[in-house]
Amino acid sequence: MARKRDTPPGQVIFPAENLADELARNQRSISVAEFFEKNKHLLGFDSPVRGIITTVKEAIDNALDACEEAGVLPDIYLGIFRKEDDIFKVVVEDNGPGIVPDNIPFVFGKLLYGSRFHQIRQSRGQQGIGISAAVLYAQLTTGNPTMVISRCGAERPAYKLLIQIKTETNEPEILSRDEIQWDRTHGTRIEIEFKSSLTAKKRLIEYLRYTSVVNPHTRIRVELDGETMTFDRASEEPIIPPKAIKPHPHGVELGELKRMTAASTAPLREFLIEGFSRVGEKTADEIIKSSGIGAEQAVSSLNPKGLGHLHTAMQAANVPPPPAQQCLSPIGENLIKQGLEKEFQLDFISARTRPAAVYHGHPFIVEAALGWGGKLESEGTARIMRFANRVPLMYQQGACAITTSINSVNWRTYGIGQQGLPTGPLIILVHVASTNVPFTSESKDAVASIPEIEREITLALQDLGRDLKTFIQRRDRSRQTEERARAICSIIPEIAAKVAETLELPIPDTSPIEGQIMKRLVAKKKTIDGIVSISVSNYTSHAVDITLYCITTDDPRDANPAPVFVEQVGEDFSAVWQLRIPANDVWRTEYKGLGRGSIDIRGIDEKKKVVVDLDR
Amino acid sequence: MARKRDTPPGQVIFPAENLADELARNQRSISVAEFFEKNKHLLGFDSPVRGIITTVKEAIDNALDACEEAGVLPDIYLGIFRKEDDIFKVVVEDNGPGIVPDNIPFVFGKLLYGSRFHQIRQSRGQQGIGISAAVLYAQLTTGNPTMVISRCGAERPAYKLLIQIKTETNEPEILSRDEIQWDRTHGTRIEIEFKSSLTAKKRLIEYLRYTSVVNPHTRIRVELDGETMTFDRASEEPIIPPKAIKPHPHGVELGELKRMTAASTAPLREFLIEGFSRVGEKTADEIIKSSGIGAEQAVSSLNPKGLGHLHTAMQAANVPPPPAQQCLSPIGENLIKQGLEKEFQLDFISARTRPAAVYHGHPFIVEAALGWGGKLESEGTARIMRFANRVPLMYQQGACAITTSINSVNWRTYGIGQQGLPTGPLIILVHVASTNVPFTSESKDAVASIPEIEREITLALQDLGRDLKTFIQRRDRSRQTEERARAICSIIPEIAAKVAETLELPIPDTSPIEGQIMKRLVAKKKTIDGIVSISVSNYTSHAVDITLYCITTDDPRDANPAPVFVEQVGEDFSAVWQLRIPANDVWRTEYKGLGRGSIDIRGIDEKKKVVVDLDR
């Protein structure tokens, strides 16, 4: 590079002809694949440890989106196999609608290719980047192409393709394409090999568990480097896929409006009613009137000034918020509670789905839940579960608006300790669903700080905090009651003895009275929504070893925990569990059924047990 | 969308023909401009408040990079004008080499277009996204195009272009292109209008001040909505632009190596020596030997297995780290100290430039400085100044590896309080310079957590912490000494009186001795690098009102603070400052010059002043 280094500073004689031209020769266009290959950390591929979680997440997001779109209950297989020291193969197979063979290379081999970018509705993937980035990462770290099998229905053949990405152009390269025999009638399978490590295995399993909590209609079967596990459904109801809506007049920027009008042949009134959501005749007339533009003027003929007036009028008009019910798919309070209960067996749980709200014209819904006790650790700060559009957020907790909002709540008001985050055996779940979740980075790890969203999260948490406070107060009261009962029971025998002595009668057996007051060991059975649950609470001060019998017309063989013995006699099953229950502990099992039949407990003094069947 | 909602869940009869085809029809390619328009927060355009800082930052980054490339001292003009309520015009003009007219539309009107993406060397901009994103944001929020004027030398005409971006294709649209008269001989001017707000004006000025600290060779003149200010040079030495280097053999992924070999016609030995930095004949032979491949085999003919062996051999080979001196441009300890001193007039300052280190094959250098006292607030946590490649990082302090590293140091060891961050009148500057700074997001707000980088930052800070500890201990000692001196002075008159009484002599005047011990009011003048600085320290226990006189051949009219009166007599200037200095306070002024002449103080007892001229 010709540069005059000898001229005194401040009096540079400028070598203009050379330098500007020389610089110009170096200037060129960069493909988006080159960009993301170099900046792979922006997409969550910063390290081999994280790469595996990101890849699994992208593939499962796609599988769930596809199944949802088809209205089927997702049945997903995930396989992770170590091929060499640090080379892993990840396989994800779904029962979605499949991808037509001509589009497969683009879906997996081109970044920024997809169907959901321009649709205003909630979905996991949106940009058409994620899975192609995984393919890019695979070819970067191993040089290996990615295999995709897909089939679009029983009457169509399945295709198997080997794909890689031409990084310089961001175009797919098809290495092979074959029609094959495949036992699935519809669905997609991807096999991808990359440099990785299973150091973060615990986090990977956590990701799968969390996914299962907020997608209770999903079953994921997992083979993880020799181990197998299943995350089963908590609900048999497929999700109704959200529908795309039109843009909201309050969410449109002037430049965007300019493009929309330039591309339209409609007159103003029609343009407003047809092009935007929540704009009916009345709203259209209001906008037209305050804009000072004729209702029948073709919008493509508007000059910059007219456009400015139209934009101002649209912003000022009184338009109802976007139709969130249609384009968003919240999980719902009941399913959130079921999902959390399944994982943590909580003493208390409460959930809220907030009404829809809007930021920058994008509708969103915040859902939150608080759980207390159960299997949660009683020490340390609360466990936080963050979700956006039903996807768990696994990284950058500190940078997330959800965390900021949790910190901003004064938890002490609700009787809970706080060190920044609240403390105790507490779990906090927050789900942000939106047509456009504002992530802090393209790796989708954290929700950006948007005041409207933070406000909704805070309101939901405060509301739940009040529920929790009530629970904790009631629990403290019932502890008091129990202590009083204990005190009474401890003097009943003495009173009985004294009274007997005074009346010169034999000392009566007081234990039934004590039993009534103390309810020493309580077995309960109840059935809700086809799930029979049996619990045994040990209120004694000692561990007990007992046998639980259940005679029922339901099949308890799949109970969790399973019985040690099951016998079928005609239509009846007879099941046996052998239990050791520590003092003040509760044991539970669950199986599918109608709850007919009876239970009983052996191995403990008759007077020290109470059996309650809530199904009778 | 045809969907079978009536079939029982779990037994979906699949509408395959319709759905997969229907989905396929919606699939399309998304332009990178559409992507970043929708996700503008990823580039730092989340809000109008922030948009203005991001735009200024991108334009100034480009200006500085261009000037550096040309080896000129940057002279940058920044104008910010309110056009309407929330519409601002930002003007940035530089004295760089200019951009040839045919390239202007691409540089400003196409994302991912630039000259530095494939070059392995330190630069502020790299991706060719920033300034085009600002143009995109401008047209989105106002619909207005961006104006660019550029000229590549005195003998060439200047061109003025009006540009916008066709979002759907990410291609520039030229609205006009004219040859114009322009008084600059070389440079570029951009005028850009967008929706914004000056709410973050303080942060904007902070950004400019910080930029000035780490770019001491730069002058920035600012017109900010009616106010004017100048951030002047602390150094007249232009930066030697870093030179691009070849990739380092340890930093190449297998997939990348595959592409490089496929594109090469060279035999293995030549490929290694010519294609990589730090690979000489000896290293090449070592790699060839352990790979088991022939030295003369054409690399394009290598099969996947051979490539794997070559990659392993390259990773294992003993190669010196990349030549960081050549491709990186650290600021240097002296310039960092000068920059900080200029802004904060510190009592203590120490800086370190660490030796070059490497992460994932990318060379980097960490620089850090600690300042104490002076104009810093003595309460609260330390002030943190974060920089990457000479660019201040203004957002997401909490998510940055620099902050994490500062927190990880045990500051109490160095006698400094700590609440997560250290506390007290402390400033911490950290600069990470690299050929590839790993940012957490494309908005370049925070450095990602890379263990190698965090380690270097921690080492630099620990080293500086030890310096600060020594200073604080010494200061504590000198405080003790002063207290002792005070104690002695307070009894000197009594001793003198006693001695005089005993010897039957008149009581002597002890004030000169006290003066010598206490140095009541000390005025100092010193000149370094053409900057004359005068300080007056008030060690008395009362505020003093004094007049400072300076007779000099330098022109002190631009002194900061300025004199209340200046008179020129022949070649001499006579300047007067009127000062009120609180007890234990220091007053300072500075002006350009050689430091000839003399100073004096009036308004205080002769015996209570000491005048020191370090220039004599």
Side-chain angles (χ1 to χ4, degrees), chain B residues 401-432:
Chain B
I402 291 177
T403 313
T404 320
S405 306
I406 293 173
N407 281 331
S408 76
V409 170
N410 183 0
W411 292 95
R412 293 199 181 85
T413 317
Y414 311 116
I416 299 163
Q418 184 163 18
Q419 294 169 357
L421 289 175
T423 55
L426 179 65
I427 191 162
I428 304 178
L429 178 152
V430 177
H431 177 221
V432 177

mmCIF file of all heavy atoms in Angstrom, chain B residues 401-432:
data_model
loop_
_atom_site.group_PDB
_atom_site.id
_atom_site.type_symbol
_atom_site.label_atom_id
_atom_site.label_comp_id
_atom_site.label_asym_id
_atom_site.label_seq_id
_atom_site.Cartn_x
_atom_site.Cartn_y
_atom_site.Cartn_z
ATOM 1 N N ALA B 401 -17.513 -9.654 29.138
ATOM 2 C CA ALA B 401 -16.410 -10.381 29.774
ATOM 3 C C ALA B 401 -15.488 -9.433 30.529
ATOM 4 O O ALA B 401 -14.849 -9.836 31.509
ATOM 5 C CB ALA B 401 -15.619 -11.151 28.712
ATOM 6 N N ILE B 402 -15.410 -8.179 30.100
ATOM 7 C CA ILE B 402 -14.561 -7.204 30.801
ATOM 8 C C ILE B 402 -15.105 -7.001 32.224
ATOM 9 O O ILE B 402 -14.342 -7.055 33.199
ATOM 10 C CB ILE B 402 -14.526 -5.868 30.024
ATOM 11 C CG1 ILE B 402 -13.754 -6.061 28.707
ATOM 12 C CG2 ILE B 402 -13.896 -4.760 30.867
ATOM 13 C CD1 ILE B 402 -13.705 -4.827 27.813
ATOM 14 N N THR B 403 -16.413 -6.823 32.345
ATOM 15 C CA THR B 403 -17.025 -6.639 33.669
ATOM 16 C C THR B 403 -16.845 -7.892 34.531
ATOM 17 O O THR B 403 -16.486 -7.808 35.706
ATOM 18 C CB THR B 403 -18.526 -6.332 33.503
ATOM 19 O OG1 THR B 403 -18.673 -5.327 32.507
ATOM 20 C CG2 THR B 403 -19.128 -5.831 34.797
ATOM 21 N N THR B 404 -17.101 -9.052 33.926
ATOM 22 C CA THR B 404 -16.925 -10.306 34.664
ATOM 23 C C THR B 404 -15.508 -10.413 35.213
ATOM 24 O O THR B 404 -15.306 -10.801 36.364
ATOM 25 C CB THR B 404 -17.168 -11.502 33.710
ATOM 26 O OG1 THR B 404 -18.267 -11.191 32.871
ATOM 27 C CG2 THR B 404 -17.431 -12.770 34.479
ATOM 28 N N SER B 405 -14.525 -10.054 34.386
ATOM 29 C CA SER B 405 -13.135 -10.157 34.831
ATOM 30 C C SER B 405 -12.855 -9.178 35.964
ATOM 31 O O SER B 405 -12.157 -9.512 36.924
ATOM 32 C CB SER B 405 -12.184 -9.881 33.668
ATOM 33 O OG SER B 405 -12.489 -10.717 32.584
ATOM 34 N N ILE B 406 -13.380 -7.954 35.861
ATOM 35 C CA ILE B 406 -13.172 -6.962 36.927
ATOM 36 C C ILE B 406 -13.766 -7.494 38.232
ATOM 37 O O ILE B 406 -13.142 -7.420 39.293
ATOM 38 C CB ILE B 406 -13.814 -5.610 36.545
ATOM 39 C CG1 ILE B 406 -13.071 -4.999 35.347
ATOM 40 C CG2 ILE B 406 -13.790 -4.642 37.729
ATOM 41 C CD1 ILE B 406 -13.718 -3.750 34.772
ATOM 42 N N ASN B 407 -14.967 -8.073 38.135
ATOM 43 C CA ASN B 407 -15.607 -8.632 39.329
ATOM 44 C C ASN B 407 -14.810 -9.779 39.940
ATOM 45 O O ASN B 407 -14.856 -9.996 41.134
ATOM 46 C CB ASN B 407 -17.004 -9.151 38.977
ATOM 47 C CG ASN B 407 -18.016 -8.039 38.891
ATOM 48 O OD1 ASN B 407 -17.889 -7.024 39.556
ATOM 49 N ND2 ASN B 407 -19.022 -8.216 38.062
ATOM 50 N N SER B 408 -14.116 -10.519 39.068
ATOM 51 C CA SER B 408 -13.437 -11.722 39.556
ATOM 52 C C SER B 408 -12.154 -11.399 40.318
ATOM 53 O O SER B 408 -11.598 -12.259 40.996
ATOM 54 C CB SER B 408 -13.126 -12.661 38.394
ATOM 55 O OG SER B 408 -12.009 -12.158 37.673
ATOM 56 N N VAL B 409 -11.650 -10.171 40.181
ATOM 57 C CA VAL B 409 -10.421 -9.796 40.902
ATOM 58 C C VAL B 409 -10.781 -9.526 42.360
ATOM 59 O O VAL B 409 -11.809 -8.928 42.655
ATOM 60 C CB VAL B 409 -9.801 -8.530 40.263
ATOM 61 C CG1 VAL B 409 -8.667 -7.979 41.138
ATOM 62 C CG2 VAL B 409 -9.292 -8.840 38.863
ATOM 63 N N ASN B 410 -9.935 -9.988 43.280
ATOM 64 C CA ASN B 410 -10.160 -9.708 44.699
ATOM 65 C C ASN B 410 -9.525 -8.361 45.040
ATOM 66 O O ASN B 410 -8.355 -8.269 45.408
ATOM 67 C CB ASN B 410 -9.554 -10.828 45.552
ATOM 68 C CG ASN B 410 -9.844 -10.609 47.016
ATOM 69 O OD1 ASN B 410 -10.491 -9.623 47.395
ATOM 70 N ND2 ASN B 410 -9.371 -11.522 47.847
ATOM 71 N N TRP B 411 -10.309 -7.277 44.916
ATOM 72 C CA TRP B 411 -9.763 -5.925 45.056
ATOM 73 C C TRP B 411 -9.354 -5.613 46.488
ATOM 74 O O TRP B 411 -8.548 -4.717 46.724
ATOM 75 C CB TRP B 411 -10.779 -4.902 44.530
ATOM 76 C CG TRP B 411 -10.945 -5.020 43.044
ATOM 77 C CD1 TRP B 411 -11.884 -5.732 42.378
ATOM 78 C CD2 TRP B 411 -10.099 -4.442 42.038
ATOM 79 N NE1 TRP B 411 -11.694 -5.642 41.016
ATOM 80 C CE2 TRP B 411 -10.602 -4.845 40.783
ATOM 81 C CE3 TRP B 411 -8.962 -3.624 42.077
ATOM 82 C CZ2 TRP B 411 -10.024 -4.464 39.584
ATOM 83 C CZ3 TRP B 411 -8.386 -3.231 40.876
ATOM 84 C CH2 TRP B 411 -8.910 -3.656 39.653
ATOM 85 N N ARG B 412 -9.927 -6.332 47.436
ATOM 86 C CA ARG B 412 -9.591 -6.047 48.835
ATOM 87 C C ARG B 412 -8.105 -6.287 49.103
ATOM 88 O O ARG B 412 -7.507 -5.620 49.934
ATOM 89 C CB ARG B 412 -10.462 -6.907 49.758
ATOM 90 C CG ARG B 412 -11.930 -6.501 49.662
ATOM 91 C CD ARG B 412 -12.762 -6.962 50.834
ATOM 92 N NE ARG B 412 -14.150 -6.553 50.624
ATOM 93 C CZ ARG B 412 -15.037 -7.257 49.918
ATOM 94 N NH1 ARG B 412 -14.682 -8.400 49.379
ATOM 95 N NH2 ARG B 412 -16.263 -6.802 49.753
ATOM 96 N N THR B 413 -7.539 -7.254 48.343
ATOM 97 C CA THR B 413 -6.101 -7.506 48.445
ATOM 98 C C THR B 413 -5.298 -6.230 48.220
ATOM 99 O O THR B 413 -4.197 -6.071 48.735
ATOM 100 C CB THR B 413 -5.678 -8.523 47.351
ATOM 101 O OG1 THR B 413 -6.656 -9.554 47.299
ATOM 102 C CG2 THR B 413 -4.310 -9.106 47.626
ATOM 103 N N TYR B 414 -5.842 -5.330 47.414
ATOM 104 C CA TYR B 414 -5.099 -4.116 47.075
ATOM 105 C C TYR B 414 -5.583 -2.912 47.892
ATOM 106 O O TYR B 414 -5.338 -1.759 47.531
ATOM 107 C CB TYR B 414 -5.217 -3.829 45.571
ATOM 108 C CG TYR B 414 -4.906 -5.054 44.750
ATOM 109 C CD1 TYR B 414 -5.874 -5.650 43.949
ATOM 110 C CD2 TYR B 414 -3.640 -5.662 44.818
ATOM 111 C CE1 TYR B 414 -5.599 -6.801 43.232
ATOM 112 C CE2 TYR B 414 -3.361 -6.813 44.111
ATOM 113 C CZ TYR B 414 -4.345 -7.374 43.323
ATOM 114 O OH TYR B 414 -4.072 -8.511 42.624
ATOM 115 N N GLY B 415 -6.315 -3.212 48.953
ATOM 116 C CA GLY B 415 -6.752 -2.132 49.838
ATOM 117 C C GLY B 415 -7.931 -1.342 49.295
ATOM 118 O O GLY B 415 -8.151 -0.193 49.674
ATOM 119 N N ILE B 416 -8.712 -1.958 48.393
ATOM 120 C CA ILE B 416 -9.835 -1.247 47.774
ATOM 121 C C ILE B 416 -11.126 -1.968 48.150
ATOM 122 O O ILE B 416 -11.159 -3.198 48.174
ATOM 123 C CB ILE B 416 -9.660 -1.220 46.239
ATOM 124 C CG1 ILE B 416 -8.366 -0.489 45.912
ATOM 125 C CG2 ILE B 416 -10.844 -0.554 45.556
ATOM 126 C CD1 ILE B 416 -7.884 -0.740 44.523
ATOM 127 N N GLY B 417 -12.170 -1.215 48.450
ATOM 128 C CA GLY B 417 -13.453 -1.818 48.777
ATOM 129 C C GLY B 417 -14.047 -2.532 47.572
ATOM 130 O O GLY B 417 -13.643 -2.283 46.424
ATOM 131 N N GLN B 418 -14.988 -3.421 47.800
ATOM 132 C CA GLN B 418 -15.564 -4.160 46.685
ATOM 133 C C GLN B 418 -17.006 -4.548 46.981
ATOM 134 O O GLN B 418 -17.322 -5.058 48.058
ATOM 135 C CB GLN B 418 -14.725 -5.428 46.430
ATOM 136 C CG GLN B 418 -15.184 -6.228 45.217
ATOM 137 C CD GLN B 418 -14.145 -7.216 44.723
ATOM 138 O OE1 GLN B 418 -13.217 -7.555 45.457
ATOM 139 N NE2 GLN B 418 -14.293 -7.680 43.500
ATOM 140 N N GLN B 419 -17.888 -4.257 46.038
ATOM 141 C CA GLN B 419 -19.280 -4.741 46.089
ATOM 142 C C GLN B 419 -19.566 -5.306 44.713
ATOM 143 O O GLN B 419 -20.170 -4.650 43.887
ATOM 144 C CB GLN B 419 -20.243 -3.590 46.362
ATOM 145 C CG GLN B 419 -20.085 -2.969 47.724
ATOM 146 C CD GLN B 419 -20.873 -1.672 47.833
ATOM 147 O OE1 GLN B 419 -21.477 -1.220 46.874
ATOM 148 N NE2 GLN B 419 -20.847 -1.089 49.010
ATOM 149 N N GLY B 420 -19.052 -6.508 44.437
ATOM 150 C CA GLY B 420 -19.068 -6.990 43.051
ATOM 151 C C GLY B 420 -17.968 -6.223 42.330
ATOM 152 O O GLY B 420 -16.832 -6.666 42.231
ATOM 153 N N LEU B 421 -18.277 -5.001 41.873
ATOM 154 C CA LEU B 421 -17.252 -4.105 41.320
ATOM 155 C C LEU B 421 -16.485 -3.469 42.473
ATOM 156 O O LEU B 421 -17.007 -3.344 43.581
ATOM 157 C CB LEU B 421 -17.932 -3.011 40.499
ATOM 158 C CG LEU B 421 -18.553 -3.440 39.170
ATOM 159 C CD1 LEU B 421 -19.289 -2.274 38.539
ATOM 160 C CD2 LEU B 421 -17.497 -3.954 38.204
ATOM 161 N N PRO B 422 -15.236 -3.043 42.226
ATOM 162 C CA PRO B 422 -14.506 -2.328 43.270
ATOM 163 C C PRO B 422 -15.151 -0.956 43.505
ATOM 164 O O PRO B 422 -15.843 -0.436 42.644
ATOM 165 C CB PRO B 422 -13.101 -2.196 42.694
ATOM 166 C CG PRO B 422 -13.265 -2.336 41.227
ATOM 167 C CD PRO B 422 -14.437 -3.241 41.020
ATOM 168 N N THR B 423 -14.912 -0.379 44.681
ATOM 169 C CA THR B 423 -15.527 0.902 45.024
ATOM 170 C C THR B 423 -14.459 1.961 45.288
ATOM 171 O O THR B 423 -13.289 1.646 45.460
ATOM 172 C CB THR B 423 -16.397 0.757 46.288
ATOM 173 O OG1 THR B 423 -15.577 0.217 47.329
ATOM 174 C CG2 THR B 423 -17.560 -0.167 46.054
ATOM 175 N N GLY B 424 -14.888 3.229 45.312
ATOM 176 C CA GLY B 424 -13.971 4.326 45.604
ATOM 177 C C GLY B 424 -13.743 5.197 44.390
ATOM 178 O O GLY B 424 -14.336 4.974 43.328
ATOM 179 N N PRO B 425 -12.882 6.225 44.527
ATOM 180 C CA PRO B 425 -12.611 7.142 43.412
ATOM 181 C C PRO B 425 -11.698 6.475 42.401
ATOM 182 O O PRO B 425 -10.546 6.861 42.229
ATOM 183 C CB PRO B 425 -11.942 8.332 44.098
ATOM 184 C CG PRO B 425 -11.264 7.734 45.286
ATOM 185 C CD PRO B 425 -12.124 6.594 45.737
ATOM 186 N N LEU B 426 -12.249 5.449 41.717
ATOM 187 C CA LEU B 426 -11.438 4.565 40.883
ATOM 188 C C LEU B 426 -12.013 4.525 39.475
ATOM 189 O O LEU B 426 -13.232 4.478 39.296
ATOM 190 C CB LEU B 426 -11.451 3.157 41.497
ATOM 191 C CG LEU B 426 -10.693 2.049 40.775
ATOM 192 C CD1 LEU B 426 -9.195 2.329 40.770
ATOM 193 C CD2 LEU B 426 -10.964 0.703 41.438
ATOM 194 N N ILE B 427 -11.127 4.559 38.493
ATOM 195 C CA ILE B 427 -11.571 4.348 37.122
ATOM 196 C C ILE B 427 -10.789 3.169 36.565
ATOM 197 O O ILE B 427 -9.594 3.034 36.820
ATOM 198 C CB ILE B 427 -11.398 5.619 36.261
ATOM 199 C CG1 ILE B 427 -12.102 5.448 34.928
ATOM 200 C CG2 ILE B 427 -9.932 5.965 36.042
ATOM 201 C CD1 ILE B 427 -12.350 6.755 34.225
ATOM 202 N N ILE B 428 -11.502 2.297 35.842
ATOM 203 C CA ILE B 428 -10.855 1.121 35.260
ATOM 204 C C ILE B 428 -11.093 1.156 33.767
ATOM 205 O O ILE B 428 -12.237 1.197 33.313
ATOM 206 C CB ILE B 428 -11.435 -0.177 35.834
ATOM 207 C CG1 ILE B 428 -11.327 -0.178 37.353
ATOM 208 C CG2 ILE B 428 -10.728 -1.390 35.239
ATOM 209 C CD1 ILE B 428 -11.926 -1.402 38.007
ATOM 210 N N LEU B 429 -10.006 1.174 33.015
ATOM 211 C CA LEU B 429 -10.113 1.155 31.565
ATOM 212 C C LEU B 429 -9.600 -0.196 31.075
ATOM 213 O O LEU B 429 -8.537 -0.642 31.511
ATOM 214 C CB LEU B 429 -9.283 2.295 30.978
ATOM 215 C CG LEU B 429 -9.200 2.439 29.457
ATOM 216 C CD1 LEU B 429 -8.955 3.905 29.081
ATOM 217 C CD2 LEU B 429 -8.125 1.576 28.816
ATOM 218 N N VAL B 430 -10.365 -0.843 30.200
ATOM 219 C CA VAL B 430 -9.883 -2.083 29.582
ATOM 220 C C VAL B 430 -10.118 -1.995 28.081
ATOM 221 O O VAL B 430 -11.205 -1.629 27.633
ATOM 222 C CB VAL B 430 -10.577 -3.336 30.157
ATOM 223 C CG1 VAL B 430 -10.109 -4.595 29.434
ATOM 224 C CG2 VAL B 430 -10.313 -3.475 31.645
ATOM 225 N N HIS B 431 -9.083 -2.318 27.322
ATOM 226 C CA HIS B 431 -9.160 -2.300 25.853
ATOM 227 C C HIS B 431 -8.780 -3.676 25.326
ATOM 228 O O HIS B 431 -7.724 -4.190 25.668
ATOM 229 C CB HIS B 431 -8.188 -1.233 25.316
ATOM 230 C CG HIS B 431 -8.127 -1.185 23.808
ATOM 231 N ND1 HIS B 431 -6.956 -1.021 23.108
ATOM 232 C CD2 HIS B 431 -9.113 -1.265 22.874
ATOM 233 C CE1 HIS B 431 -7.216 -1.007 21.804
ATOM 234 N NE2 HIS B 431 -8.509 -1.144 21.639
ATOM 235 N N VAL B 432 -9.672 -4.286 24.559
ATOM 236 C CA VAL B 432 -9.371 -5.563 23.927
ATOM 237 C C VAL B 432 -9.180 -5.300 22.431
ATOM 238 O O VAL B 432 -10.102 -4.828 21.766
ATOM 239 C CB VAL B 432 -10.510 -6.586 24.135
ATOM 240 C CG1 VAL B 432 -10.206 -7.892 23.416
ATOM 241 C CG2 VAL B 432 -10.742 -6.831 25.618
#
